[in-house]
Amino acid sequence: MSPSPRLQVESGRVVLSGEWTLAALVPQLREVEAQLAGGRLAGLPWDLSSVSRLDSAAAVLLWRTWNESWPRDLVVSEMHRRALERAATMAPAATVAASPTSGPVVRLGYLVLALLDNLRALIILYGQMLLDLGHLVLHPSEIPWREIAANIYKAGAMALPVTALVGFLIGVTISYLSALQLRNFGADVFIVNILGISIIRELGPVLVAVLVAGRSGSAMTAQIGVMRVTEEIDALSAMGVSRSIRVVLPKLLALTAVMPLLVLWASAIALLGGMVSALLQLGIPFAYFVENLQRAVPVANLVIGLGKGLVFGFIIAWVACHFGLRVKPNTESLSANTTTSVVTAITLVILVDAVFAIMTRNMGIPQL
Amino acid sequence: MNGATSAVVEMRGLSTLIGDRYVHRDLDLRVMAGQIVGLIGGSGSGKTTLLRQILGLLRPAAGSVNLFGEDLAVAHPVAQRAMLRRLGMLFQGGALFSALPVFDNIAFPLRELKCLDDDWIRRLVHLKLAMVELEPGHGKLMPAELSGGMVKRVALARALALEPELLLLDEPTAGLDPDRSRSFADLLRELQRELGLTVIMVTHDLDTLARLATHVAVLAEQRIVEFGPLADVMAGDHPLVAAFRGGGQTKVL
Ligand SMILES: Nc1ncnc2c1ncn2[C@@H]1O[C@H](COP(=O)(O)OP(=O)(O)OP(=O)(O)O)[C@@H](O)[C@H]1O
Ligand SMILES: [Mg+2]
C-alpha cells in the first residue's frame, strides 16, 4: 500500500523516510517506538527531507521523542514543519488529577442527599398534579382526553394478554402446591379459602403491579426521557403547551384508572387457573368452588385488592414520570433512570403493600 | 497514493431506493485523490443519502460504490473495517456520543486502535481541539452542554482524529460564524496540502465553497447533473447553480 515509515541512523544523522502517518505507523508501531525510545536520538541531527507525508499523530510522536524541544539541527520541508509546529504549540498536557475516591461515610451522605432530593421532587410533582387537576376542573375544555385514552389503551388494553397468562399460571401453581399439602390433612375444601384470600387480597394486585411497572412504567420513563433528550419537552413549552398537563397528567390518570381493572382481570383469571387445578387434583367441581368462594372470602377483600390496584397504579406512574423528567440529555442517563424507575416503583409497591397489610389487618378475615 | 490518478470514490450507475421511492437513479460520480468536492443540491435532494452510500450504511438498489478502488458491499468485513478507518465522517447533526464527554468522543476512535498510549492520545485530542479552535477545558463538557456550532466543531475534530485520507463532511459550516467558517476552510486547505486529503463536503455556503472546493458536483433530478472544476461549474447556467449563486450572494451580503 503506502511506503512504510523508515528510520535510519546514517553517520550520526537520523534520517526519516517514507510515510509518517497514523495509518502507516499502526502496523509497525512496536518497532518504530523501540527505535525511538531511550532518548539516544534526541541530541542527533534529524533529516526529515525525504518524508513523503507527516500527519499530526506522527508529529506528536516525534515531538515526544525530542523531549518537547526542537533538535539543534533539523532538516524538514516547510510543509511538514507546520505539522510539527502545531504539535509543538500544544502545551504539555497537564495530567488530569484523578478525582479522589470518597470514603463510605461520604458516599452514604451523598446517597441520603440524593434520596431527599428525589423525595422533594416527587412531592413537587404531586403538588403540580393537584394544581393541574384544579386547573382542569376550572377549564374542562383543556382536559387531554386523547392522551388519556391513548395511555389507557397502551397501559391497559395491551396488557391484558400478559397479565392473563401470568395470572393463570400463578393460579395453577399455587393451587397445585396447596392441594398437595391439604390432601395430607384431609382439608381439601379449604383450597377455596386459601386461593380466594391470597389471590384477591394479595397476589393479584402485587403481581399486576410488578408486571405493569416493568411494562408501562419503563415505557413511560423512556418516553419522557427521550422527549428530554431530543428537546421535544422544550418544544412543547415553547408552543405554550403545559408539559405536565399534556405529558405527565394523562399517564398518571390513565394508569390509576386502569390498574384496578387489570387487578380484577388478573385475579379472576388466576382464580380460574386455581379452579382448574383444584378440579384436576382434588376433584372439586367449579360450581362448588364458586359457591364457597362467596362464603369464604368476605367482599372486603375485593375492596382491599382493588384499592391496592388504584394506589399501586398511581405510584408506578408517579415514579415513572418523576424519573423520566430527571433524564439528562444523554443515553447513559436515559438507561440509568429507566432502571431506577422500575426498581423504585416495585420497591415502593411492596413497601406500600406492607403498610396496607398492617392497616387492614382486622378487615375481611372470615370468622369460621 | 498521492498521485491524482487514483479514484478514491467511484459510483457507477448508482440507484438508491428508500421505501418505494428512488432517491438516486443511475448516478455517476468519480472523485480523485486530492480533490475537494463541494456537493450541492436542494434540500431533500439526497446529498446525505449519497454520503451514507459511500459509508456503506445503505445498499445500492443498482450499480456500485467503490471506495479506495474496492467495492465496499462485497468486501470482507475485516477489509470493510480497514477501509472505513481510512475515512472520517462529519454527520449533519454531529452524532456525538451523548454519554461521553467531548474529550472521550474524540479519543474514542484513537482508543479503538488499541495501540496508542494515554499520553499520546491526550496530546492528539488536544491538538484536534486546538485545530477546531476549542480549548482543552472544553474536553470535560458533555455534548448536551455545547452550543450548536461547538457540536459541529467537536464532530469535525472527531472526524479528523484518525488522520483520514478521505473526509466526508455533511454541512460542516452550518451553524458556524463567518470567521470560524473561514478558519475552518483554511484548516482544511492546509491539511489537504500537507496530507493530500480528499474531501467530499455537502454545503449550502457559497463562501466556503468558493474558498475551499476544487470541484463542484450538483445533485438534482436524482443524479449528478454537473461535475467539474469549481470555476467551470459555477460559470455554468444550470438553474440550480444560478439559484445557488444568487442565493449565496444575498446571503454573503
Ligand atoms: N431513513 C429514511 N427513511 C425514509 N426516507 C428517507 C430516509 N432518509 C432520507 N429519506 C428521504 O430521502 C430524501 C433525501 O434525503 P437526504 O437526507 O439525503 O436529503 P439532503 O439532500 O441531505 O437534504 P438536506 O440538505 O435538507 O440535508 C428525502 O426526501 C428524505 O425524505
Ligand atoms: Mg442532509
Side-chain angles (χ1 to χ4, degrees), chain B residues 18-19 21 23-24 41-50 52 58 92 170-171 202 204 219:
Chain B
I18 294 187
R21 213 166 56 84
V23 178
H24 310 123
S43 178
S45 58
K47 303 180 296 296
T48 301
T49 313
L50 197 64
R52 293 172 66 86
L58 289 172
Q92 194 165 9
D170 202 345
E171 308 211 359
V202 173
H204 293 300
L219 181 61

Coordinates of all heavy atoms in Angstrom, one line a residue, chain B residues 18-19 21 23-24 41-50 52 58 92 170-171 202 204 219, ligand 1:
Chain B
I18 N -35.3 4.1 -1.3 CA -35.8 4.2 0.1 C -37.3 4.0 0.1 O -38.0 4.8 -0.4 CB -35.4 5.5 0.8 CG1 -33.8 5.6 0.9 CG2 -35.9 5.6 2.2 CD1 -33.3 6.7 1.7
G19 N -37.7 3.0 0.8 CA -39.2 2.6 0.7 C -39.4 2.2 -0.7 O -38.8 1.3 -1.2
R21 N -39.4 4.7 -3.1 CA -39.0 5.9 -3.9 C -37.6 5.9 -4.2 O -36.7 5.6 -3.4 CB -39.4 7.1 -3.0 CG -39.9 8.3 -3.7 CD -40.5 9.3 -2.7 NE -39.5 9.7 -1.7 CZ -38.6 10.6 -1.8 NH1 -38.5 11.3 -2.9 NH2 -37.7 10.9 -0.8
V23 N -34.2 7.7 -4.6 CA -33.6 8.9 -4.2 C -32.5 9.3 -5.2 O -32.3 10.4 -5.6 CB -33.0 8.8 -2.8 CG1 -32.2 10.1 -2.4 CG2 -34.1 8.5 -1.8
H24 N -31.8 8.2 -5.7 CA -30.8 8.4 -6.8 C -31.2 7.4 -7.9 O -31.6 6.3 -7.5 CB -29.4 8.1 -6.3 CG -29.0 8.9 -5.1 ND1 -28.5 8.2 -4.0 CD2 -29.0 10.2 -4.8 CE1 -28.3 9.1 -3.1 NE2 -28.6 10.3 -3.5
G41 N -27.0 20.9 -3.8 CA -28.3 20.4 -4.3 C -29.3 20.9 -3.4 O -29.0 21.2 -2.2
G42 N -30.6 20.8 -3.8 CA -31.7 21.3 -3.0 C -31.8 20.5 -1.7 O -31.3 19.4 -1.6
S43 N -32.6 21.0 -0.8 CA -32.8 20.3 0.5 C -33.7 19.1 0.1 O -34.7 19.2 -0.6 CB -33.6 21.2 1.4 OG -33.9 20.5 2.6
G44 N -33.3 18.0 0.6 CA -34.1 16.7 0.4 C -33.7 16.1 -1.0 O -34.4 15.2 -1.4
S45 N -32.6 16.6 -1.6 CA -32.3 16.0 -2.9 C -31.5 14.7 -2.8 O -31.2 14.1 -3.8 CB -31.5 17.1 -3.8 OG -30.4 17.4 -3.1
G46 N -31.1 14.4 -1.6 CA -30.4 13.1 -1.4 C -28.9 13.2 -1.2 O -28.2 12.3 -1.5
K47 N -28.4 14.4 -0.7 CA -27.0 14.6 -0.5 C -26.5 13.7 0.7 O -25.5 13.0 0.5 CB -26.7 16.0 -0.2 CG -27.2 16.9 -1.4 CD -26.8 18.4 -1.1 CE -27.6 19.0 0.1 NZ -29.0 19.0 0.0
T48 N -27.2 13.8 1.8 CA -26.8 13.0 2.9 C -26.9 11.5 2.6 O -26.1 10.7 3.0 CB -27.8 13.3 4.1 OG1 -27.7 14.7 4.4 CG2 -27.4 12.5 5.3
T49 N -28.0 11.2 1.9 CA -28.1 9.8 1.5 C -26.9 9.3 0.6 O -26.5 8.1 0.8 CB -29.4 9.6 0.7 OG1 -30.5 10.3 1.4 CG2 -29.8 8.1 0.5
L50 N -26.4 10.2 -0.2 CA -25.3 9.8 -1.0 C -24.0 9.5 -0.1 O -23.3 8.5 -0.4 CB -25.0 10.9 -2.0 CG -24.1 10.6 -3.2 CD1 -24.8 9.5 -4.1 CD2 -23.7 11.8 -4.0
R52 N -24.2 8.5 2.9 CA -24.4 7.2 3.6 C -24.1 6.0 2.7 O -23.7 5.0 3.1 CB -25.9 7.2 4.1 CG -26.1 8.2 5.2 CD -27.6 8.2 5.5 NE -28.1 7.0 6.1 CZ -28.0 6.7 7.4 NH1 -27.5 7.6 8.2 NH2 -28.4 5.5 7.9
L58 N -26.0 2.2 3.5 CA -27.1 1.8 2.6 C -26.6 0.9 1.6 O -25.4 0.9 1.2 CB -27.7 3.0 2.0 CG -28.5 4.0 2.8 CD1 -28.9 5.3 2.0 CD2 -29.8 3.4 3.4
Q92 N -24.4 15.4 9.7 CA -25.1 16.6 9.7 C -25.5 17.1 11.1 O -25.4 18.3 11.4 CB -26.4 16.5 8.8 CG -27.0 17.8 8.4 CD -28.0 17.6 7.3 OE1 -28.4 16.5 6.9 NE2 -28.5 18.8 6.8
D170 N -20.8 16.6 6.2 CA -22.2 17.0 5.9 C -22.5 18.3 6.5 O -22.7 18.4 7.7 CB -23.2 15.9 6.4 CG -24.5 16.0 5.6 OD1 -24.8 17.0 5.0 OD2 -25.3 15.0 5.7
E171 N -22.5 19.4 5.7 CA -22.7 20.7 6.1 C -21.8 21.1 7.3 O -22.3 21.4 8.4 CB -24.2 20.9 6.5 CG -25.1 20.4 5.4 CD -26.4 21.2 5.3 OE1 -26.6 22.1 6.1 OE2 -27.2 20.9 4.4
V202 N -20.8 18.4 1.7 CA -22.1 18.9 1.4 C -22.2 20.3 1.9 O -21.8 20.5 3.1 CB -23.2 18.1 2.0 CG1 -24.6 18.8 1.8 CG2 -23.2 16.7 1.4
H204 N -24.2 24.5 1.8 CA -25.0 25.4 1.2 C -24.4 26.8 1.3 O -25.0 27.8 1.0 CB -26.4 25.5 2.0 CG -27.2 24.3 1.9 ND1 -27.6 23.8 0.7 CD2 -27.6 23.4 2.8 CE1 -28.3 22.7 0.9 NE2 -28.3 22.4 2.2
L219 N -26.2 17.9 -7.5 CA -27.1 16.8 -7.4 C -28.5 17.3 -7.6 O -29.0 18.2 -6.9 CB -27.0 16.1 -6.0 CG -27.9 14.9 -5.7 CD1 -27.6 13.8 -6.7 CD2 -27.7 14.5 -4.3
Ligands
LIG1 N1 -34.3 6.9 6.7 C1 -35.1 7.4 5.8 N2 -36.4 6.9 5.6 C2 -37.2 7.4 4.6 N3 -36.8 8.4 3.8 C3 -35.6 8.9 3.9 C4 -34.7 8.5 4.9 N4 -33.6 9.2 4.8 C5 -33.8 10.1 3.8 N5 -35.0 9.9 3.3 C6 -35.6 10.7 2.2 O1 -34.6 10.8 1.2 C7 -34.6 12.1 0.6 C8 -33.2 12.6 0.7 O2 -32.8 12.9 2.0 P1 -31.4 13.4 2.4 O3 -31.3 13.4 3.8 O4 -30.3 12.7 1.6 O5 -31.5 14.9 1.8 P2 -30.4 16.1 1.8 O6 -30.1 16.3 0.4 O7 -29.3 15.7 2.7 O8 -31.2 17.3 2.3 P3 -30.7 18.5 3.4 O9 -29.9 19.5 2.6 O10 -32.0 19.1 3.8 O11 -29.9 17.9 4.5 C9 -35.6 12.9 1.4 O12 -36.7 13.1 0.6 C10 -35.9 12.1 2.6 O13 -37.3 12.2 2.9

